[in-house]
């Protein structure tokens, strides 16, 4: 509908404004005219009463005498007075009326031919004794006052209309300009230029907030697209190697089929297939997390209790591998989250720490609360990860072990990161001096 | 255990044949159908011990098939198999009336273990009181205690839960995935050998006085508590 367009809306606004101004102008004009008329009519009534005198029927000479008298008085000298007989013959007075006004009150203008009266009122009445008395007064304080008043209205209200008109047009133009800018950005992005952003640096208010949020959305979209692109290329790249190995193994199996027992070779091939399936499983799980499908299962939970439970469960396994796992039992740290995913994320971090450190390493699980944040960390005192390598570790399929001979599909941290992101948190890798500290920072659950 | 008469509903021919071969190799007889409508026809015309049902099928999908079967009063155990292991879909499948839900591809041994467990669950008699008795092992899920030959066996929570699950399914193979689901409550598989490790611990506690090991390991399949 045209009301939805800025131009349409502005046109409707301007039309409504114009009619309001015109109505106001007319109302003001007629109200002041009516007020003036009432005052003038009252004056005419009094003057007519005084001129006619107390006697009824009036006497012509008495009336004429009073007319002369009042024609000289300061406050009545401006009145036009005319005394006529019943046939319209003038008996006295200071004006001549060529078209006779009707009986009672009536309006006059310059056509009445009274010198100095451009607009006025007349009261013509029978005062008895065959006498008709007409009293005329100007209804304008100055000549051509009505025209002047109209000009005042036009200039005053007109300037208001003009200001609003210009304002509306400028506002509409600014809005249209902004939207055009946004559309340009969107079109650029659709063409594939994901670096395009809305300018928002030097502004305040709604436009800036909109632009900021728009840009944040673009950042997120860009992040997802980049991740997706790299996942696709990573998949293409990383699945080739295990597939090639699997194929080689099967070839070996085929060749040795007659030669001897094939059990072992088949088992190796199966393990390779399982590795591939595990990789796809992890990719699917990350996709499930990223799609936000788990948000419905969010609940208020105590991360300290969860961490203690997982750490306690993993402790014997760490011990079996000649590593120690310690955890601190702090106060409750509430977050809103998915119990399964947070458990899986923490398990992944602990497993990572146990798998990628030498025998004798100590792994510490800790939950700390800050202002508005809860930190769940797994730190080891192993050799650590060089700062440059930490980004690689975070990349999907990122394996620091270039030969890719250690078990695992390289998706562990990517999964943890996806879990953190789903919980509006973040994953941080830092130096535990010595060792590596991996930390999930989550927003603290609002107080219940 | 005697061979089972199974209905496998799967539209991927290669996978269907491979699964059927594996199941037949384990001594079961298999009827293969490729879509939901044919599955309903097959159930109406022959008698099966259990159904392995793919979730995504042409025309009538797996969830609708289970719903239809349950609406018709058919109580045969149904194990649903899906390429997508999403938990929401699992819940949907179970709510529709499936007994279990496995991610694809599952080894035949895993499928059979789940079918056996589902069949056994059909025969469960609500025992008097809450204690479970398997051979010389007694376990009380409500009192969190276990005994062997009358001797109290001290078990931490996780090991006790593991024993309870075994005692509920005596002489039934429980796979690693089943134990992770039922004892740990996980909808994912950790890479560490949690199950192996805790079964070993449970075993050590149960045999600390030189008793014979009541838990049988089936290599590559799972564990079974012998009654």
């Amino acid at each position: 509908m045209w009301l939805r367009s800025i131009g349409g809306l502005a046109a409707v606004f301007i039309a409504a404004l114009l009619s309001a101004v015109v109505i106001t102008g007319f109302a003001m004009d007629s109200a002041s005219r009516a007020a003036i008329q009432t005052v003038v009519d009252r004056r005419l009534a009094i003057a007519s009463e005084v001129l006619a005198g107390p006697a009824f029927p009036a006497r012509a000479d008495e009336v004429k005498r009073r007319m002369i008298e009042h024609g000289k008085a300061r406050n009545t000298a401006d009145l036009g007075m005319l005394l006529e007989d019943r046939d319209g013959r003038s008996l006295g007075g200071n004006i001549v009326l060529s078209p006779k006004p009707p009986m009672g009150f009536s309006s006059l203008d310059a056509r009445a031919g009274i010198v100095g009266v451009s607009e006025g009122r007349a009261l013509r009445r029978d005062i008895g004794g065959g006498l008709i008395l007409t009293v005329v007064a100007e209804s304008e304080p100055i000549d051509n006052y009505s025209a002047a008043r109209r000009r005042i209205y036009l200039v005053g209200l007109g300037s208001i209309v003009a200001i609003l008109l210009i304002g509306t047009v400028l506002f509409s133009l600014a809005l249209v300009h902004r939207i055009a800018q946004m559309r340009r950005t969107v079109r650029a992005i659709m063409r594939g230029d994901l670096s395009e952003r809305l300018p928002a640096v030097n502004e305040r208010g709604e436009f800036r907030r909109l632009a900021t949020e728009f840009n944040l959305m673009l950042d997120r979209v860009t992040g997802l697209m980049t991740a997706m692109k790299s996942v696709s290329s990573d998949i293409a790249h990383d699945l080739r190697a295990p597939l090639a190995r699997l194929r080689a193994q099967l070839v070996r199996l085929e060749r040795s089929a007659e030669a001897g027992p094939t059990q072992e070779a088949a088992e190796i091939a199966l393990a390779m297939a399982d590795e591939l399936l595990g990789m796809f499983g992890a990719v699917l799980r990350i996709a499930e997390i990223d799609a936000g499908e788990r948000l419905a299962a969010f609940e208020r939970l105590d991360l300290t209790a969860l961490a203690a439970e997982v750490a306690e469960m993993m402790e014997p396994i760490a011990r079996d591998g000649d590593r120690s796992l310690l955890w601190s039992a702090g106060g409750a740290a509430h977050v809103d989250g998915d119990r399964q995913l947070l458990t899986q994320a923490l398990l992944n971090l602990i497993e990572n720490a146990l798998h990628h450190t030498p025998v004798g390493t100590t792994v510490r699980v800790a939950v700390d609360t800050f202002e508005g944040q809860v930190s769940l960390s797994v730190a080891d005192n192993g050799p650590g990860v060089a700062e440059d390598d930490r980004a690689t570790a975070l990349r999907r399929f990122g394996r620091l072990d270039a030969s890719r001979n250690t078990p695992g599909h390289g998706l562990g941290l990517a999964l943890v990161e996806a879990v953190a992101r789903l919980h509006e948190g973040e994953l941080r890798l830092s130096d535990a001096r010595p060792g590596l500290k991996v930390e999930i920072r989550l927003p603290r659950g609002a107080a219940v | 255990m005697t061979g089972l008469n199974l209905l496998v509903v799967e539209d991927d021919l290669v996978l269907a044949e491979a699964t059927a071969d594996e199941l037949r190799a384990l001594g079961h007889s298999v009827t293969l159908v490729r879509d939901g409508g044919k599955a309903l026809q097959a159930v109406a015309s022959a008698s099966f011990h259990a159904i392995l049902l793919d979730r995504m099928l042409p025309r009538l999908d797996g969830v609708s098939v289970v719903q239809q079967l349950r609406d018709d009063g058919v109580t045969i155990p149904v194990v649903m198999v899906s390429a997508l292991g999403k938990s929401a879909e699992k819940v949907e499948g179970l709510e529709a009336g499936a007994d279990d839900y496995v991610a694809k591809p599952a080894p035949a041994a895993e499928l059979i273990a789940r079918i056996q467990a589902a069949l056994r669950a059909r025969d469960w008699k609500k025992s008097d009181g809450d204690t479970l008795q398997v051979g010389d092992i007694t376990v009380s899920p409500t009192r969190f205690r276990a005994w062997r030959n009358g001797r109290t066996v001290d078990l931490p929570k996780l090991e006790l839960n593991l024993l309870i699950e075994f005692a509920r399914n005596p002489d039934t193979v429980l796979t690693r995935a089943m134990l992770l689901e039922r004892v740990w409550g996980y909808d994912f598989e950790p890479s560490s050998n949690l199950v192996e490790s805790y079964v070993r611990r449970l075993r050590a506690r149960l045999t600390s006085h030189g008793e014979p090991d009541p838990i049988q390991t089936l290599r590559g399949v799972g564990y079974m508590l012998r009654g």
Side-chain angles (χ1 to χ4, degrees):
Chain A
M1 209 175 83
W2 55 274
L3 250 184
R4 299 224 174 112
S5 79
I6 292 169
L9 214 56
V12 169
F13 174 72
I14 288 167
L17 182 80
L18 272 178
S19 44
V21 165
V22 166
I23 289 168
T24 308
F26 272 111
M28 277 166 67
D29 188 56
S30 58
S32 59
R33 203 180 277 268
I36 291 170
Q37 193 171 305
T38 308
V39 172
V40 172
D41 286 358
R42 206 169 288 157
R43 185 175 175 224
L44 286 179
I46 293 166
S48 174
E49 203 65 41
V50 169
L51 290 175
F56 191 88
R59 286 176 47 198
D61 53 343
E62 288 287 309
V63 176
K64 275 196 276 185
R65 186 182 54 77
R66 285 190 207 105
M67 283 201 299
I68 293 160
E69 205 173 282
H70 282 93
K72 290 174 187 159
R74 190 179 57 81
N75 60 342
T76 46
D78 63 322
L79 287 174
M81 293 166 275
L82 177 65
L83 187 67
E84 294 159 292
D85 64 13
R86 208 157 268 164
D87 302 324
R89 280 190 296 267
S90 176
L91 299 177
N94 57 4
I95 51 166
V96 177
L97 286 166
S98 55
K100 306 284 188 215
M103 296 300 276
F105 288 106
S106 58
S107 291
L108 296 170
D109 55 22
R111 279 171 299 175
I114 305 166
V115 178
V117 176
S118 57
E119 213 174 308
R121 293 282 289 170
L123 172 59
R124 183 175 171 82
R125 65 184 189 112
D126 191 336
I127 53 171
L131 298 172
I132 305 289
L133 177 63
T134 305
V135 190
V136 173
E138 260 189 300
S139 54
E140 288 188 319
I142 54 165
D143 285 349
N144 296 316
Y145 172 68
S146 284
R149 199 170 51 183
R150 250 173 247 127
R151 272 200 305 280
I152 290 167
Y153 284 167
L154 273 179
V155 170
L157 294 177
S159 60
I160 291 174
V161 169
I163 288 166
L164 284 170
L165 207 68
I166 292 165
T168 307
V169 168
L170 285 180
F171 181 74
S172 305
L173 283 179
L175 218 55
V176 167
H177 170 71
R178 279 309 179 141
I179 290 168
Q181 202 173 34
M182 252 181 205
R183 287 182 55 202
R184 269 200 304 280
T185 310
V186 170
R187 276 201 300 272
I189 289 160
M190 284 194 299
R191 281 195 305 271
D193 180 8
L194 280 168
S195 64
E196 192 77 22
R197 290 292 180 275
L198 283 178
V201 201
N202 295 321
E203 289 180 48
R204 293 161 162 273
E206 285 73 20
F207 280 128
R208 189 201 172 116
R209 278 209 296 279
L210 180 64
T212 310
E213 267 155 36
F214 191 82
N215 287 344
L216 278 177
M217 182 191 78
L218 288 176
D219 289 347
R220 173 92 177 108
V221 169
T222 313
L224 285 174
M225 298 242 331
T226 315
M228 218 163 74
K229 274 183 194 160
S230 77
V231 163
S232 332
S233 59
D234 285 345
I235 286 178
H237 177 265
D238 287 69
L239 292 193
R240 277 181 73 90
L243 274 172
R245 290 206 299 271
L246 179 61
R247 190 175 184 286
Q249 189 65 25
L250 289 172
V251 168
R252 237 181 85 198
L253 187 63
E254 186 192 31
R255 281 196 190 138
S256 62
E258 309 95 330
T262 54
Q263 179 83 18
E264 196 193 339
E267 268 175 22
I268 295 172
L270 274 176
M272 288 171 177
D274 287 344
E275 189 188 326
L276 281 172
L277 289 166
M279 204 180 251
F280 276 118
V283 170
L284 281 173
R285 179 82 165 180
I286 291 173
E288 184 192 357
I289 295 166
D290 280 347
E293 286 169 28
R294 312 272 306 201
L295 284 168
F298 268 36
E299 55 179 321
R300 172 62 52 88
L301 45 88
D302 177 8
L303 206 55
T304 307
L306 185 145
E309 192 183 308
V310 173
E312 192 181 340
M313 181 186 73
M314 289 300 287
E315 194 275 334
I317 288 155
R319 204 157 7 106
D320 288 348
D322 292 321
R323 289 161 182 87
S324 44
L325 179 63
L326 305 174
W327 65 98
S328 52
H334 292 287
V335 294
D336 294 314
D338 181 308
R339 184 176 293 276
Q340 293 274 350
L341 291 181
L342 290 171
T343 303
Q344 187 178 12
L346 178 57
L347 258 177
N348 263 346
L349 294 183
I350 296 175
E351 283 167 350
N352 265 349
L354 295 175
H355 287 161
H356 300 295
T357 52
V359 166
T361 304
T362 301
V363 176
R364 286 170 201 277
V365 177
V367 175
D368 298 295
T369 52
F370 304 87
E371 186 73 19
Q373 277 194 318
V374 177
S375 148
L376 170 63
S377 64
V378 175
D380 62 64
N381 59 356
V385 171
E387 199 167 346
D388 295 346
D389 289 339
R390 286 182 204 142
T392 314
L394 281 175
R395 193 177 65 83
R396 289 188 182 183
F397 299 106
R399 308 271 302 265
L400 295 178
D401 171 10
S403 63
R404 299 178 185 248
N405 279 332
T406 48
H409 40 56
L411 285 168
L413 273 186
L415 191 137
V416 175
E417 199 185 17
V419 171
R421 205 166 43 229
L422 181 74
H423 289 80
E424 290 174 9
E426 53 176 344
L427 179 65
R428 292 181 182 192
L429 268 58
S430 57
D431 196 342
R433 297 166 205 277
L436 177 67
K437 180 180 180 183
V438 187
E439 188 182 6
I440 305 174
R441 288 242 177 136
L442 302 179
R444 201 169 178 171
V448 194
Chain B
M1 189 118 15
T2 50
L4 299 170
N5 192 18
L6 303 172
L7 175 64
V8 174
V9 191
E10 167 67 74
D11 62 323
D12 181 332
L13 262 190
V14 177
L15 210 55
E17 285 298 344
T19 307
D21 280 353
E22 274 193 87
L23 291 170
R24 287 187 187 116
L26 291 171
H28 306 287
S29 58
V30 177
T31 305
L32 263 181
V33 292
R34 295 181 59 184
D35 67 59
K38 294 213 178 76
L40 292 176
Q41 283 169 23
V43 172
S45 58
S47 124
F48 296 99
H49 288 109
I51 304 171
L52 279 173
L53 182 62
D54 188 24
R55 186 197 165 87
M56 285 194 284
L57 290 169
R59 291 181 287 279
L60 199 60
D61 69 277
V63 172
S64 311
V65 172
V66 187
Q67 253 158 5
Q68 188 62 54
L69 286 175
R70 298 306 186 226
D71 287 350
D72 294 348
V74 179
T75 57
I76 309 172
V78 172
V79 173
M80 203 173 262
V81 186
S82 168
L84 304 161
K86 292 183 182 174
S87 41
E89 287 169 349
K90 179 174 175 171
V91 170
E92 196 192 346
L94 295 179
E95 276 175 356
D99 291 77
D100 209 340
Y101 197 103
V102 204
K104 225 176 183 176
E110 176 82 38
L111 294 173
I112 288 297
R114 287 179 187 262
I115 289 168
Q116 301 278 23
L119 280 169
R120 187 165 288 276
R122 289 284 188 284
D123 302 335
W124 263 5
K125 292 175 196 73
K126 201 92 171 138
S127 55
D128 298 331
D130 61 11
T131 53
L132 301 159
Q133 179 84 43
V134 180
D136 57 4
I137 294 170
T138 310
V139 55
S140 165
T142 51
R143 290 161 65 196
F144 298 107
R145 295 188 64 184
W147 299 266
R148 183 156 200 201
N149 272 329
R151 163 179 77 86
T152 302
V153 184
D154 275 333
L155 291 176
K157 193 175 149 216
L158 204 47
E159 280 99 315
L160 184 81
N161 286 339
L162 196 54
L163 181 60
I164 290 168
E165 190 58 37
F166 277 125
R168 281 200 174 124
N169 301 278
D171 296 314
T172 307
V173 180
L174 296 178
T175 64
R176 180 182 132 92
M178 287 163 84
L179 290 170
L180 279 171
E181 277 171 31
R182 297 173 183 194
V183 177
W184 276 263
Y186 288 173
D187 67 351
F188 59 94
E189 286 198 35
S191 62
S192 29
N193 50 352
L194 273 179
V195 176
E196 294 76 358
S197 182
Y198 276 90
V199 168
R200 190 166 65 239
R201 259 153 235 286
L202 175 61
R203 239 182 208 141
R205 304 253 189 191
L206 290 173
T207 57
S208 62
H209 283 56
E211 298 97 327
D213 183 357
I215 300 172
Q216 188 185 339
T217 302
L218 290 98
R219 258 204 87 206
V221 183
Y223 306 92
M224 182 166 88
L225 182 66
R226 281 189 307 258

